[in-house]
Amino acid sequence: MSQPTNLGGSFPLSATFITLHRMGYGAMQLAGPHVFGPPRDRNAAVAVLREAIAAGVNHIDTSDFYGPHVTNQIIREALHPYPGNLSIVTKVGARRGDDGSWIMDTSRQNLTDSVHDNLRNLSLDILDVVNLRVGGVSAPSDESIEAPLTVLAELQQQGLIRHLGLSNVTPAQLAEAQKIAPIVCIQNFYNVAQRSDDTFVNSLAAQGIAYVPFFPLGGFNPLQATELEAAAAALNATPMQVALAWLLHRSPNILLIPGTSSVEHLRENLQAASLQLPPEILADLDAIGQHVGNTAKH
Ligand SMILES: NC(=O)c1ccc[n+]([C@@H]2O[C@H](COP(=O)([O-])OP(=O)(O)OC[C@H]3O[C@@H](n4cnc5c(N)ncnc54)[C@H](OP(=O)(O)O)[C@@H]3O)[C@@H](O)[C@H]2O)c1
């Protein structure tokens, strides 16, 4: 494959002056094992971030609960002062226990502390986009998000946040949120094998709202499917590149944030933007979502 030239094109975040290349980078893998503590090789983590920026990436997804604090501090070390076109998107709504456990916490205190932690560790005066992260580990619940989103909207009014997004939510929660503040992006679990949000992706595209899949490569359980391997062999690509190219093809409002701690994997992932998927291969890939169980509910 050739070097990436277009990073998958670009997408304007609705109601903002931000336009993001569709191929971005997710920084969660830069923390230590189990997203806790420092990485084994901090210099390698810094190198991945610098390589992403050198390749033209202008969208980095992070959170101060990665490490905690570690990932944001590495981003600051590698990239501050930040390029003018870079958008760092962070998320709040959880914290980490001393044992590395993930504690969902959308209390006013934790949300406020988290926004300030992000500002301090990233050395920023204002955060570009903050996603309110709610629900379970990888699936939404139907709780009301009015109270926590109101806290973030207040912090936005205070000038600490430019734009708000949501993570791990349902369409009903988005509708509830839109009565409180404009929502510029949704970050949910979605990939070629996890298609529960198929209808949601389409409705967000119709509204011009970005959809940013987390675990685009399967996350802690890397994607494995004979269809991916066959497509990769036919296209002289890798299965992970095929999985990313499928997402880029799926809908123009999908923005990618694949995570990696490796410069080699980063380059490989960015090159997926140059991969064309012929119709017969797209049909084979669509079948993956069926045989692993497409539990479309939105
Ligand atoms: N909102 C949420 O609740 C939520 C949840 C999870 C993640 N996120 C965000 O989403 C981003 C992406 O998710 P993720 O990093 O968890 O999962 P992912 O992008 O689906 O997969 C990352 C895994 O794939 C491996 N990998 C990456 N590129 C590869 C390649 N070309 N070949 C082989 N293996 C490859 C990585 O290992 P190597 O390091 O060895 O490359 C890592 O183990 C995160 O960075 C984070 O910003 C958000």
Side-chain angles (χ1 to χ4, degrees), residues 25-30 35 60-63 65-66 89 91 131 133-134 136-138 167-168 187-189 191 212-220 222-223 238 240-241 244 257-262 264-266 268-269:
Y25 172 70
M28 188 175 87
Q29 305 295 335
L30 298 183
V35 201
I60 292 179
D61 186 82
T62 186
S63 175
F65 52 66
Y66 297 158
V89 177
K91 65 188 77 66
N131 286 322
R133 208 294 185 185
V134 294
V137 173
S138 57
S167 178
N168 207 31
Q187 184 175 125
N188 276 10
F189 182 20
N191 60 45
V212 186
F214 72 75
F215 295 158
L217 299 174
F220 298 111
L223 290 170
T238 69
M240 294 310 194
Q241 287 176 317
L244 294 174
I257 50 164
T260 181
S261 55
S262 136
E264 290 69 30
H265 284 169
L266 174 75
E268 182 182 318
N269 296 343

Side-chain angles (χ1 to χ4, degrees), residues 16-37:
T16 77
F17 294 109
I18 298 174
T19 295
L20 299 176
H21 297 309
R22 296 183 64 210
M23 192 62 92
Y25 172 70
M28 188 175 87
Q29 305 295 335
L30 298 183
H34 310 291
V35 201
F36 195 61

Side-chain angles (χ1 to χ4, degrees), residues 98-179:
D98 292 341
D99 58 354
S101 54
W102 298 81
I103 303 167
M104 301 311 296
D105 185 348
T106 55
S107 65
R108 174 176 288 274
Q109 187 69 55
N110 185 54
L111 295 176
T112 306
D113 290 349
S114 299
V115 165
H116 285 282
D117 286 346
N118 275 283
L119 287 167
R120 187 178 61 258
N121 287 313
L122 290 167
S123 268
L124 288 170
D125 297 326
I126 183 167
L127 300 169
D128 288 324
V129 182
V130 175
N131 286 322
L132 173 64
R133 208 294 185 185
V134 294
V137 173
S138 57
S141 64
D142 55 8
E143 67 200 285
S144 169
I145 60 171
E146 180 181 353
L149 191 67
T150 299
V151 173
L152 292 187
E154 288 170 12
L155 294 168
Q156 184 181 34
Q157 291 295 316
Q158 291 168 25
L160 302 182
I161 298 171
R162 281 203 179 87
H163 305 292
L164 294 171
L166 301 172
S167 178
N168 207 31
V169 293
T170 65
Q173 287 169 322
L174 170 63
E176 183 186 32
Q178 287 172 318
K179 293 177 187 152

